[in-house]
Structures are given as structure tokens and as C-alpha cells.
Amino acid sequence: MSQTPQPPLGGRYELRRQLASSPAARVYLAQDLELGRPVAIKVLGPELARDPQVVERFRQAANAAASVHDPRIVTIYDWGDDQGAVYVAMELVDGPSLADTLRDARRLGVVQTINMGVSVAQALDAAHAAGLVHGSLKPRDVLLANDGSVKVTDFGTATAGLASLAGPAAAATYDSPEQLQGQPADARSDLYALGALLYEALTGTPPFTGPDAVTITQRKLNDRVVPASAATPGVPPGFDAIIDRLLERDPSRRYATGAEVATDLVRLGETVEVPLAAPTQALPVVPPAAAAPVATPPPPPEKKKRSATGWIIAAIVILVLAVGGLVAWAVSQDNSNKAEQVQVPAVVGARETAASATIEAAGLSATTVPEPNDSFAKGLVFSQAPAAGTKARKGSVVVLKVSSGPTTTTTSSTSSTSTSTTSTTSTTSTSTTTTTTAPPTTTTT
């Protein structure tokens, strides 16, 4: 007995098969019968669809996302309500999510992570410029298309009240510290989540982990992340500065915009061994040497035994020319290699602006990391890597640690109790604590 075919959703979208599901929504592969194209349809969960406030926020988030036109953001085509089935029609991306990729491959390569990070940072920058905040960026929201492009989806999830449905552990893993303390998400919260995604893509694990949301939140609020270069061999140290700045607990010390993050990632990509996009170049075709004319042998009666002296001289000439060519090539390569190496100047003790200018004047790129220091006045560089006097590739990154002032000691009488969507609990205690500010660094349902 054949099943009665389901009528097109909204009289337009023919659902073909389910792609993914969660407590919040189900996602289907569908065919747009009016335009004759495949689309992705997200249908809000039945319980949520019965809540008028959730439906209205869902509609507002869809309309806001539809107003942003950027090739790195999944396009929203339509929104509708078909007899209680609240749905959004959006661009279908042919490829897995970052979550799927990390589950299968555990982690991405350095170059692939840089490319992914640049695209996500640019997508966030475009959305933030339009006044749109994601608010719940996670690996499932980053889609890695099979054509090499990267797209971000589900903007406005937090605004629509759907973020908490992902579960408290997921929220504690990727949400910013201020979100976990009950503050609303903003552009800086999205950049924090980007830092968590970059770290996980490089190392295979999020920056802070634990058995439950409370443990993860406590570690995020109190511990410093293990540098990605220390956790995974082969990760360039320049990545640590970018990720540390993105994961700053203080939002004001993070990157200001996604564009700044993208710029630093591109600069980092130019200094790693494998370029960001290495074009395939054909090797030059060297025309073969013209064949020497074949001498016509003399008539047999006049044949004479020829001396070997001429052949020896010719062989010596050829050998000398070959050796000379090799020497010239080696010298040119040595000079080329030397031209790519520059000496790192000494800037410890200098002001931050002056130190950065000195580094850049030497043909290098400077990245500053504020950090408390009791021996150097605020604004002075107290450490640099690579060290002064060493050789470094031209254009490579020099990390400068700048004193943010001495460590401060404060007395806390009673800690405040805050409530957040991650179900974290705070404790009340009376103690004396030493506060050290950490250095800055930097399909979906």
C-alpha cells in the first residue's frame, strides 16, 4: 500500500529527505518547485512552534540574516508558517560541517585551519557591520563546502532563544565568559567562539574541557589555555598569540573586529612553510640542445686512426662549464636564502609603539601581548620571541610581551552569585586572592 505523498511545504517546497535533527529543529533537503533548485529547509520543533514568542524571535532572526549578503554567510531565501509548521528556506551547502569533519578527521591541518578562520572571521565581520550577532557559534555552524568555500549559518540563534537547546555543556565549551555569567552576546562574544573553533581545529579538542558544564565554566573563568603549539606538534607559535587574544576573558582585550582577525591570520599564513593558496606552476620547458651534425665518414681507402686528444679536450671543456654552472647556481641560491633572512632587533625595554615600529622597519611583523609584570613599567616590552640577534624569515611574526602594569592584589569579601543558561553555579566565599590578567592572543540544525 503506497504512502500518500506529503503536500509541498508552503505550497512550494517538496521535502526529499531529512539531513539533521535536534530538539530545536529539523533540517531537510528539499526542492523549490517554483525556482527548480535544491534548498535546505529548517523546520522549528513542534513544541517551540507552539510558543508565539519563540516563533516571532525566529522570524526576526531569519529576516535579519536574510538582510546580510555575503558569500561566506548561508543565504536565507524565505520564511513561512504552514499550518503550524514554522520553517526557513535557505541555501543548500554541499559539504560537511566543521563538527562532522573534526569527528571524522579529528583535526584540520594548519593551512586549512587558517583558511577556515579567515572565512569565518570575514563572515562575522560582515554580519557585525550589519548589526547581526551570531551568539551561539559552534563547529556545526561552520560548513566546509566541497568546492573549498566556507560558510557560516544560523545567525541569530541566541536572539531567537534557541541557543540553550544545544545543551549546557556545549554552551559552556564555546560561549564567552560574559555569556556564561548571564550577559547578552555581542560581536566580541562571537570572536571568542571563533578562538575556540580555531583551537579545536588545530588540536582536536576545545580549549577548555570537563565532565560537565560547571567544571568547564570554572576552568574557563580561572585557568589559562594550553598553547596550541604546545598541545599539537607542527602548530606555528604565531597561532598562539592570535588564539590567546581571541580567548581573552576580558572582552575589551580581544580583537575589535573580525577584519583584524582575518588580517592577522592571512599574515600568519604567509609565514608558514606551506602558502595559503599555492598556485600550480608548470616547470619551465628547456629546449633540447641542437644535435651536432653527423660528420660523413671519409672514404674507406683514406681512413686514418684519429687522435684521442681532441675528445679529451672537449670533455674537459664540458666538465668545466658544468661545474661553473653548478657553482653559479649554488651561489645564487645562497644569496637568495640570505636575502630572505633578517636579523631580529632588540626591543626589550622599549615602548610598545616604538618596539613595533622597530620590528616592522626590520622587515618583520610585530604582535603584542599585554601581560602583568612587576619589573617593567606599564607599556614597556619585557620579552620578545624570537630573541634579539637571531635570524628570522622576512615577514615572519615577532611576539612582543608588553607590561600591563604590576600584578594587583585585591581582597574579595563575598563573591556574587549569577545565573546563566549554562546552569553554572557560583560559590560564596571570603578570601584573599591574587588576580593575574591572562595575556591576550588571539548539516546545522
Side-chain angles (χ1 to χ4, degrees):
M1 185 174 178
S2 61
Q3 271 189 331
T4 303
Q6 184 178 2
L9 190 65
R12 174 176 178 176
Y13 302 106
E14 183 179 79
L15 304 185
R16 297 290 175 82
R17 61 184 175 89
Q18 183 172 297
L19 299 176
S21 65
S22 77
R26 300 182 305 278
V27 178
Y28 296 90
L29 168 66
Q31 183 71 12
D32 185 342
L33 300 179
E34 288 188 13
L35 299 179
R37 64 182 177 184
V39 296
I41 297 291
K42 174 179 286 190
V43 181
L44 198 60
E47 293 186 5
L48 294 175
R50 288 191 288 268
D51 187 333
Q53 293 183 348
V54 172
V55 171
E56 177 59 21
R57 292 197 299 266
F58 184 72
R59 183 191 66 80
Q60 291 176 356
N63 288 337
S67 66
V68 181
H69 302 285
D70 186 90
R72 292 162 289 265
I73 297 177
V74 171
T75 303
I76 302 297
Y77 297 137
D78 190 16
W79 176 91
D81 185 343
D82 185 350
Q83 299 179 357
V86 181
Y87 66 90
V88 167
M90 54 190 176
E91 175 186 4
L92 179 67
V93 178
D94 183 18
S97 68
L98 177 61
D100 296 332
T101 302
L102 293 179
R103 184 182 62 245
D104 297 337
R106 190 171 179 268
R107 60 176 180 258
L108 304 182
V110 171
V111 174
Q112 190 178 4
T113 300
I114 292 175
N115 287 334
M116 180 273 292
V118 169
S119 294
V120 175
Q122 291 172 338
L124 293 176
D125 192 62
H128 296 162
L132 183 63
V133 173
H134 194 289
S136 183
L137 184 64
K138 294 174 176 59
R140 67 168 185 238
D141 301 318
V142 177
L143 306 181
L144 309 178
N146 292 330
D147 63 2
S149 62
V150 178
K151 293 179 181 287
V152 181
T153 188
D154 268 7
F155 276 91
T157 298
T159 305
L162 305 178
S164 61
L165 296 174
T173 300
Y174 301 102
D175 286 358
S176 64
E178 63 271 17
Q179 286 177 276
L180 299 178
Q181 292 173 323
Q183 300 178 28
D186 59 14
R188 297 169 300 180
S189 305
D190 285 348
L191 296 180
Y192 183 96
L194 173 57
L197 296 188
L198 290 174
Y199 189 94
E200 185 172 0
L202 287 169
T203 66
T205 59
F208 299 100
T209 59
D212 52 50
V214 174
T215 303
I216 297 171
T217 301
Q218 289 175 342
R219 290 176 178 174
K220 181 174 288 188
L221 296 177
N222 298 302
D223 298 345
R224 293 181 59 179
V225 66
V226 177
S229 62
T232 303
V235 175
F239 240 131
D240 298 334
I242 295 175
I243 292 176
D244 284 352
R245 187 174 175 186
L246 286 168
L247 295 181
E248 267 293 339
R249 284 191 283 268
D250 181 356
S252 66
R253 298 177 65 178
R254 295 177 201 150
Y255 284 92
T257 66
E260 291 182 4
V261 182
T263 298
D264 275 3
L265 286 172
V266 170
R267 184 182 295 122
L268 175 65
E270 293 171 349
T271 64
V272 298
E273 291 299 326
V274 183
L276 276 176
T280 302
Q281 297 180 351
L283 293 174
V285 178
V286 180
V294 180
T296 304
E302 300 180 3
K303 186 175 181 181
K304 297 181 180 179
K305 186 177 181 180
R306 301 185 61 177
S307 171
T309 304
W311 294 109
I312 295 174
I313 294 174
I316 293 175
V317 171
I318 293 173
L319 181 60
V320 169
L321 291 176
V323 172
L326 288 173
V327 171
W329 176 84
V331 170
S332 65
Q333 288 295 105
D334 183 64
N335 290 336
S336 175
N337 291 336
K338 288 180 179 179
E340 295 178 358
Q341 299 288 323
V342 295
Q343 185 171 350
V344 179
V347 293
V348 172
R351 288 280 175 189
E352 177 181 354
T353 54
S356 297
T358 301
I359 293 296
E360 293 177 2
L364 301 166
S365 177
T367 295
T368 58
V369 180
E371 187 174 323
N373 188 283
D374 296 327
S375 301
F376 285 75
K378 183 178 181 180
L380 297 183
V381 175
F382 65 87
S383 174
Q384 66 178 86
T390 58
K391 295 290 184 179
R393 280 183 61 181
K394 188 173 184 180
S396 59
V397 177
V398 178
V399 179
L400 306 177
K401 289 189 177 182
V402 181
S403 173
S404 58
T407 55
T408 59
T409 302
T410 60
T411 301
S412 174
S413 57
T414 304
S415 62
S416 61
T417 301
S418 61
T419 304
S420 71
T421 58
T422 60
S423 302
T424 58
T425 59
S426 60
T427 59
T428 303
S429 61
T430 302
S431 62
T432 301
T433 61
T434 300
T435 303
T436 303
T437 306
T441 54
T442 93
T443 286
T444 301
T445 62

